[in-house]
Amino acid sequence: MPSEFSLIARHFTRPTANTVLGVGDDCAIVAPRAGYELLVSSDMLVAGTHFLPDTDPARLGWKTAAVNISDIAAMGAQPRWMTLALSLSAPDEPWIAALAQGFADCCAAFGVDWIGGDTTRGPLNLCATVFGEAPAGRAIRRSGARAGDDIWVSGWPGLAALGLKHLLEGTPLNGDWRDTCIEALERPQPRVALGLALNGMASAMLDVSDGLAGDLAHILERSGCGAELEDAALPLGPALAACNDARLARQCVLGGGDDYELLFTAPPALREAIAALVPGLGLPISRIGRCLAEPGLNLKHRDGSVAPLAITGFDHFA
């Protein structure tokens, strides 16, 4: 049976490009660039809560890195370094090798050095910590939205939630959309390039991990404002094409989560500049509503009527 240290040496020690000292000592050493601030975030993935126990290990490794990188993207910053701590019930080396490769592949895809971590025996649990950089005073916070700002979201939220419903409940999905939805769930794509492009444009931003409506509520709470979303502007197309159920598609887009798309606000004067980002990024960006001075989150229906939006995001302890 391989030892903890042989597993680390074989699978968790990778070359680094932007690190003073990587794996091997008690700590890694990193050096942020002059004039930059260091951003730090940790996300834990627990079997049965964040992923199904039979998830492909390479995809699980990718997702573990991706959801952490997404937190850096959500603040308009550059991800630079990552650690991974995991507990395992047994040292299944082929499974560990695939997990480590998926994690390393995601780090490499976004220019992140994997600089250390820990392994121990226990229930399957993965916890990564990511470090990023932003020019001093320039990281995009949740607290900057103002009444009159537009509300935007990237990509096609809702597909990951449909993928999960298919795997858990057998919800039928159409044709190739099944694979697309499962890919969105198991191999999310952090929107790093968009986050960097929005630095200096977005007034507030976060990534959609717990559902669009619930995550927007976090921006509104921190910014002290309200919002009105427009049903006609929501990017429902792919979710509706995947499931042929308008109610389910809307529920997944507004409340599904696990998309890791960027949800942000910006002044109306920047509409053309934001729209101009789309061709270069190859990523749709939808303007879905506006911020209001009055508190609350409402949905404007296609018939012009307005009602409070009751959909909330995921809460581990609700």
Side-chain angles (χ1 to χ4, degrees), residues 148-152 227-230 233-234 271 286-291:
D149 281 357
D150 292 325
I151 301 169
W152 301 77
E228 179 180 278
L229 299 181
E230 295 188 27
L234 296 175
R271 287 177 184 175
S286 304
R287 180 163 54 89
I288 60 174
R290 60 193 179 101
C291 294

Side-chain angles (χ1 to χ4, degrees), residues 53-112:
D54 61 350
T55 299
D56 174 82
R59 289 192 163 203
L60 178 57
W62 176 283
K63 184 170 184 175
T64 302
V67 302
N68 282 271
I69 292 171
S70 181
D71 283 335
I72 300 296
M75 297 192 77
Q78 179 70 55
R80 297 292 304 278
W81 304 282
M82 184 100 73
T83 65
L84 175 64
L86 69 157
S87 62
L88 303 162
S89 59
D92 179 344
E93 191 157 4
W95 189 95
I96 291 170
L99 176 88
Q101 191 60 57
F103 189 89
D105 287 346
C106 187
C107 287
F110 293 95
V112 176

Side-chain angles (χ1 to χ4, degrees), residues 162 171-175 177 236-249:
L162 284 171
T171 300
L173 298 177
N174 298 326
W177 283 105
L236 289 169
L240 184 56
C243 68
N244 282 345
D245 182 335
R247 183 202 60 80
L248 177 59

Side-chain angles (χ1 to χ4, degrees), residues 134-197:
R138 290 279 301 278
I140 305 170
R141 306 185 185 195
R142 299 180 179 187
S143 56
R146 297 294 178 261
D149 281 357
D150 292 325
I151 301 169
W152 301 77
V153 69
S154 68
W156 302 113
L159 297 184
L162 284 171
L164 183 60
K165 281 187 170 293
H166 175 77
L167 293 177
L168 287 180
E169 304 171 13
T171 300
L173 298 177
N174 298 326
D176 293 339
W177 283 105
R178 174 190 176 277
D179 292 342
T180 300
C181 291
I182 293 173
E183 179 87 358
L185 173 69
E186 296 183 346
R187 208 170 184 274
Q189 300 297 313
R191 303 305 187 188
V192 173
L194 175 60
L196 291 170

Side-chain angles (χ1 to χ4, degrees), residues 189-207:
Q189 300 297 313
R191 303 305 187 188
V192 173
L194 175 60
L196 291 170
L198 289 171
N199 198 305
M201 289 197 284
S203 53
M205 187 159 65
L206 48 60
D207 64 338

Side-chain angles (χ1 to χ4, degrees), residues 40-56:
V40 185
S41 179
S42 291
D43 264 314
M44 182 183 300
L45 279 72
V46 179
T49 299
H50 299 94
F51 61 92
L52 302 178
D54 61 350
T55 299
D56 174 82

Side-chain angles (χ1 to χ4, degrees), residues 228-233 298-307:
E228 179 180 278
L229 299 181
E230 295 188 27
D231 185 65
N298 297 318
L299 180 66
K300 184 177 182 180
H301 297 283
R302 293 170 188 259
D303 63 5
S305 62
V306 177

Side-chain angles (χ1 to χ4, degrees), residues 241-290:
C243 68
N244 282 345
D245 182 335
R247 183 202 60 80
L248 177 59
R250 185 173 286 99
Q251 173 68 36
C252 288
V253 168
L254 288 170
D258 235 10
D259 296 300
Y260 304 98
E261 297 293 351
L262 295 185
L263 178 66
F264 63 95
T265 62
L270 294 176
R271 287 177 184 175
E272 290 187 5
I274 292 170
L277 298 175
V278 172
L281 295 171
L283 177 71
I285 311 174
S286 304
R287 180 163 54 89
I288 60 174
R290 60 193 179 101

